[in-house]
Amino acid sequence: MLRFDHKPALVAYVTCGDPDMETTHAIVLAAIDAGADVVELGVPFSDPIADGPVIQRASERALRAGTTLKQVLTLARAVRAARPRSGLIIFSYLNPILRLGVARFCAAAADAGVDGALITDLTVDEAGEYIASMRQRKLATVFLAAPTSPDARLAKIAEASRGFIYAVSRTGVTGTHADVSSDAQALVERIRKFSRLPVAVGFGISTPEQFVDVGKWADAVVVGSAIVERIEKNLGREAAAVAQFIGSLHRHATSTVSSR
Amino acid sequence: MCARSSSAVAAVAGRFGAYGGRYVPETLVAALEELELAYAAAKRDRKFQRELQEMLVQYAGRPTPLYFAARLTRELGGAKIYLKREDLLHTGAHKINNCIGQALLARRMKKRRIIAETGAGQHGVATATVCALFGFECVVYMGTEDMRRQDLNVFRMRLLGAEVRGVASGSRTLKDAINEAMRDWVTNVRGTHYLLGSVLGAHPYPMMVRDFQSVIGREARKQVMKQAGKLPTAVIACVGGGSNAIGIFHQFIGDQRVQLIGVEAGGRSARIGEHAARFLGEGGAPGVLQGTYSYVLQDEAGQVANTHSVSAGLDYPAIGPEHAGLHDSGRAKYVAASDAEALAACTLLARTEGIIPALESSHAVAELVKRAPRMKKSDVIIVNISGRGDKDIGILRENLRL
């Protein structure tokens, strides 16, 4: 379920199949138990044009392990069975979904029990068939909004989105960044003119301090590369490392609120 | 449907039949819309067109000759062979046509930082050249494998003042260079123009690059009517992304009797990973790569396949969407030439006509060698010699024992 009842909610991204599917399964359950409200199950792709080096490397490792979209959907079903109330989103580039077939993907995703999907290189302009298929299966269509999107596009994005809107914090690829750009807050404010959906802010958020700062004006914070990097650097104890990291985000959030 | 009218419809929506479109991260959409509007305005602007025309003549060296290859015609013993000599242009290939157009456009959009990808290095050199001429900052992304096999062009780009950034991810070739250029663009989109070198990518690139390259076919059609007194039976061009092919095909699309033949890189074999033949080899299927919907070499799970060609400029897993449309409608035919056939054709043209074609263009010559002898002496055939082979001397030396 996509619920954002405490603020800031945490949306956690993992590249599935890095280092293998069994480990991803353990990582996702650990992330949920440590306080991830929504997990984005990333489908690795050979040409991740929107991703920085961390997720590029994870995608290469996952593809070398033979990861496919079908396997990610199987993983989603297992996670759903184990954690019936958590939020689950498929996060993919378009081509693996086209290859499976948009209608077949939507049917399989609904069957696996996910809440929705986000396709990095599919904008609202090209998404007619996808939106129709997703609606039919009662799946949320999450779209990206960017600092470069003019208001007219934000209106279209708001209309096409379900579940939440993913605000890209800055122009650029995924990856950690020292500061969260001032673009991000302005974008969230602009999105709110067009939509009452929760807004999650992502791209470059990696520290407990950034998590708390962004949480002051966004409904949810997406953490991706920082999690994937912990998986990369903690071979053999990936799930524990991710749980610990997510715990540190939440602890910082709690302590900041209570000390106010 | 008549091909001419379908291409007019496609120009409005960025579609060529089912193919084309705009599949990019949201961050880039505003820049693509800005480019689309700026290009539409420039296209109508007489001053822009006059300046473009003048630079093509004074700087690039247009028009290029349509050369009657008498010795090669005798040697192959069939159709009369004409070569469209894009290899004689400044910088040595057709790529300069598009680079001049886009540089003028970048200046109009007040973008002073230019990025580009390159495979064989011809587009990189042409981009570095126009950036030197216009005083733009220039960054060219190039796969490290391509930097190795086209090292002369790397040096040429640096000599012209461009920064060449090696890309060591994936197969370290053109596809990976485009990925990295797109990542740069998505990061620096507000002040940077992405000078894409082929009829690839998101709308408006395939249409705009085609327009800038279609000068090749406009000249060739006039020249062949004047010199041979009739339309050609066939027009042959190599197809990587497909800009030289679309450039020479476009003016002939409405001439239904003119066969349009695109030559893909057959590489070592038809097995996936050993070729770059999107229509003919194993693994080609419609899909989305780098912003456009077209034929893409891929596996069952939708992961993009590795490719191989002796020619860096053809070593790419997708093809321009307009070619996908021409393929499906049957208006153009696509064939493949292997590495070995291309190398043999290069040698043949060098020794019969004293013209060393680029390895890319050698694929078109290889198809000519197969086709011309089967045609009548009254037939006329045009081959687009899209670039010259100087850049390939190193590879030729590795492959030919002379």
Side-chain angles (χ1 to χ4, degrees):
Chain A
M1 262 184 290
L2 297 176
R3 298 196 329 188
F4 297 83
D5 21 344
H6 60 93
K7 199 178 159 182
L10 173 65
V11 179
Y13 168 93
V14 290
T15 300
C16 294
D18 169 35
D20 56 61
M21 274 305 202
E22 209 177 306
T23 309
T24 304
H25 184 245
I27 293 168
V28 172
L29 296 191
I32 292 168
D33 295 344
D37 302 273
V38 176
V39 175
E40 292 178 341
L41 298 172
V43 179
F45 184 51
S46 52
D47 295 270
I49 53 167
D51 286 300
V54 171
I55 294 177
Q56 284 177 46
R57 287 198 301 271
S59 305
E60 281 177 23
R61 289 191 297 268
L63 290 175
R64 270 203 302 276
T67 309
T68 64
L69 172 57
K70 282 185 186 164
Q71 289 172 8
V72 174
L73 290 164
T74 304
L75 169 75
R77 177 193 297 276
V79 172
R80 173 54 76 221
R83 299 292 182 273
R85 292 169 57 80
S86 68
L88 277 184
I89 293 280
I90 301 287
F91 194 104
S92 183
Y93 286 86
L94 180 57
N95 202 52
I97 289 172
L98 284 182
R99 188 67 197 229
L100 186 63
V102 170
R104 278 181 68 197
F105 165 75
C106 294
D111 195 48
V114 305
D115 300 296
L118 192 163
I119 304 178
T120 318
D121 51 349
L122 184 67
T123 63
V124 291
D125 316 280
E126 301 280 8
E129 183 199 347
Y130 164 74
I131 291 172
S133 286
M134 292 287 279
R135 296 275 187 279
Q136 208 184 349
R137 302 286 176 174
K138 302 195 164 42
L139 292 170
T141 47
V142 180
F143 285 97
L144 300 173
T148 50
S149 311
D151 282 1
R153 287 196 62 77
L154 292 183
K156 281 199 223 171
I157 290 164
E159 197 190 321
S161 296
R162 298 290 186 275
F164 63 97
I165 292 174
Y166 187 134
V168 176
S169 68
R170 56 180 159 78
T171 62
V173 293
T174 59
T176 58
H177 229 247
D179 2 83
V180 177
S181 106
S182 57
D183 277 0
Q185 190 173 354
L187 172 62
V188 171
E189 281 161 17
R190 287 199 297 130
I191 292 170
R192 297 216 194 273
K193 289 194 289 184
F194 302 101
S195 176
R196 289 183 179 168
L197 284 175
V199 179
V201 173
F203 277 41
I205 297 161
S206 59
T207 67
E209 292 72 25
Q210 290 172 332
F211 180 72
V212 169
D213 280 352
V214 174
K216 288 173 191 160
W217 38 268
D219 303 292
V221 178
V222 187
V223 179
S225 296
I227 289 175
V228 173
E229 199 163 17
R230 271 161 185 83
I231 294 169
E232 183 176 49
K233 288 185 174 155
N234 290 279
L235 205 67
R237 50 179 301 275
E238 296 90 350
V242 169
Q244 194 180 18
F245 174 58
I246 289 177
S248 76
L249 297 179
H250 277 306
R251 264 194 311 280
H252 190 76
T254 317
S255 67
T256 323
V257 170
S258 56
S259 67
R260 234 183 264 158
Chain B
M1 203 198 305
C2 158
R4 194 164 260 173
S5 78
S6 80
S7 100
V9 172
V12 178
R15 291 275 170 183
F16 308 94
Y19 303 102
R22 183 178 283 162
Y23 298 91
V24 291
E26 174 65 23
T27 305
L28 290 180
V29 174
L32 289 162
E33 286 180 345
E34 179 193 1
L35 179 61
E36 185 182 356
L37 288 175
Y39 175 61
K43 204 172 168 176
R44 287 190 307 265
D45 180 353
R46 278 208 204 134
K47 195 167 149 257
F48 178 91
Q49 293 298 337
R50 210 167 36 237
E51 195 171 2
L52 172 62
Q53 180 58 28
E54 195 175 294
M55 284 190 69
L56 288 175
V57 172
Q58 301 295 339
Y59 188 70
R62 303 212 69 91
T64 58
L66 184 74
Y67 165 72
F68 173 55
R71 283 200 75 212
L72 187 61
T73 297
R74 272 202 305 281
E75 176 84 18
L76 295 177
K80 275 204 191 89
I81 297 161
Y82 287 83
L83 306 177
K84 182 60 175 163
R85 298 290 310 274
E86 293 298 295
D87 60 313
L88 292 176
L89 284 173
H90 180 42
T91 73
H94 72 291
K95 294 293 185 186
I96 193 77
N97 300 328
N98 169 51
C99 286
I100 290 174
Q102 287 199 45
L104 287 168
L105 204 53
R107 193 181 65 188
R108 210 180 151 98
M109 291 188 294
K110 303 198 169 24
K111 301 211 171 183
R112 304 194 56 83
R113 179 176 181 269
I114 301 288
I115 56 170
E117 81 296 337
T118 197
Q122 289 305 106
H123 174 59
V125 166
T127 302
T129 298
V130 296
C131 287
L133 181 66
F134 282 77
F136 294 149
E137 181 189 345
C138 179
V139 175
V140 178
Y141 290 93
M142 187 170 190
T144 49
E145 168 61 14
D146 289 338
M147 286 177 76
R148 185 192 63 78
R149 53 182 170 172
Q150 304 282 353
D151 62 334
L152 265 178
N153 272 343
V154 174
F155 187 78
R156 283 170 84 196
M157 287 184 266
R158 287 179 175 152
L159 180 65
L160 288 158
E163 181 190 342
V164 182
R165 291 189 188 164
V167 181
S169 58
S171 56
R172 301 168 188 181
T173 57
L174 178 58
K175 173 188 77 131
D176 311 287
I178 297 180
N179 285 340
E180 212 50 41
M182 288 184 80
R183 290 183 188 118
D184 181 315
W185 202 31
V186 88
T187 306
N188 302 301
V189 59
R190 287 176 171 123
T192 296
H193 174 63
Y194 180 13
L195 207 167
L196 185 57
S198 193
V199 285
L200 296 167
H203 180 63
Y205 282 103
M207 174 191 78
M208 177 177 74
V209 177
R210 177 253 279 156
D211 288 353
F212 287 137
Q213 291 295 359
S214 61
V215 63
I216 306 171
R218 282 198 305 275
E219 282 176 11
R221 195 176 185 281
K222 264 187 232 151
Q223 289 166 324
V224 76
M225 293 302 288
K226 192 170 166 204
Q227 293 170 229
K230 62 177 178 181
L231 284 170
T233 311
V235 178
I236 304 178
C238 66
V239 190
S243 69
N244 91 83
I246 282 292
I248 195 160
F249 287 175
H250 205 255
Q251 195 68 13
F252 294 101
I253 285 176
D255 303 316
Q256 293 294 336
R257 278 175 307 183
V258 177
Q259 300 168 38
L260 305 175
I261 298 149
V263 188
E264 298 188 280
R268 283 189 289 257
S269 85
R271 278 203 306 276
I272 195 163
E274 302 222 312
H275 64 85
R278 288 63 47 108
F279 296 130
L280 294 145
E282 186 184 293
V288 163
L289 178 66
Q290 296 170 335
T292 191
Y293 180 61
S294 185
Y295 279 69
V296 179
L297 291 168
Q298 55 184 303
D299 70 11
E300 297 290 313
Q303 303 296 338
V304 177
N306 283 331
T307 52
H308 163 79
S309 171
V310 69
S311 141
L314 305 184
D315 199 355
Y316 181 70
I319 189 165
E322 190 162 7
H323 285 291
L326 291 171
H327 172 267
D328 282 14
S329 73
R331 179 63 193 92
K333 298 273 180 264
Y334 295 83
V335 297
S338 68
D339 288 352
E341 289 168 336
L343 288 163
C346 179
T347 312
L348 175 72
L349 190 62
R351 294 184 177 183
T352 52
E353 295 290 350
I355 295 168
I356 304 173
L359 280 172
E360 290 76 23
S361 324
S362 298
H363 285 71
V365 178
E367 175 60 20
L368 170 78
V369 171
K370 295 177 203 171
R371 191 171 288 259
R374 302 198 306 261
M375 294 167 68
K376 295 194 296 279
K377 285 195 183 338
S378 57
D379 284 332
V380 167
I381 195 160
I382 299 178
V383 181
N384 198 19
I385 304 299
S386 53
R388 61 176 175 244
D390 306 37
K391 72 183 173 60
D392 294 316
I393 294 301
I395 301 166
L396 289 165
R397 196 158 53 186
E398 277 172 35
N399 283 279
L400 302 172
R401 290 198 180 79
L402 306 180

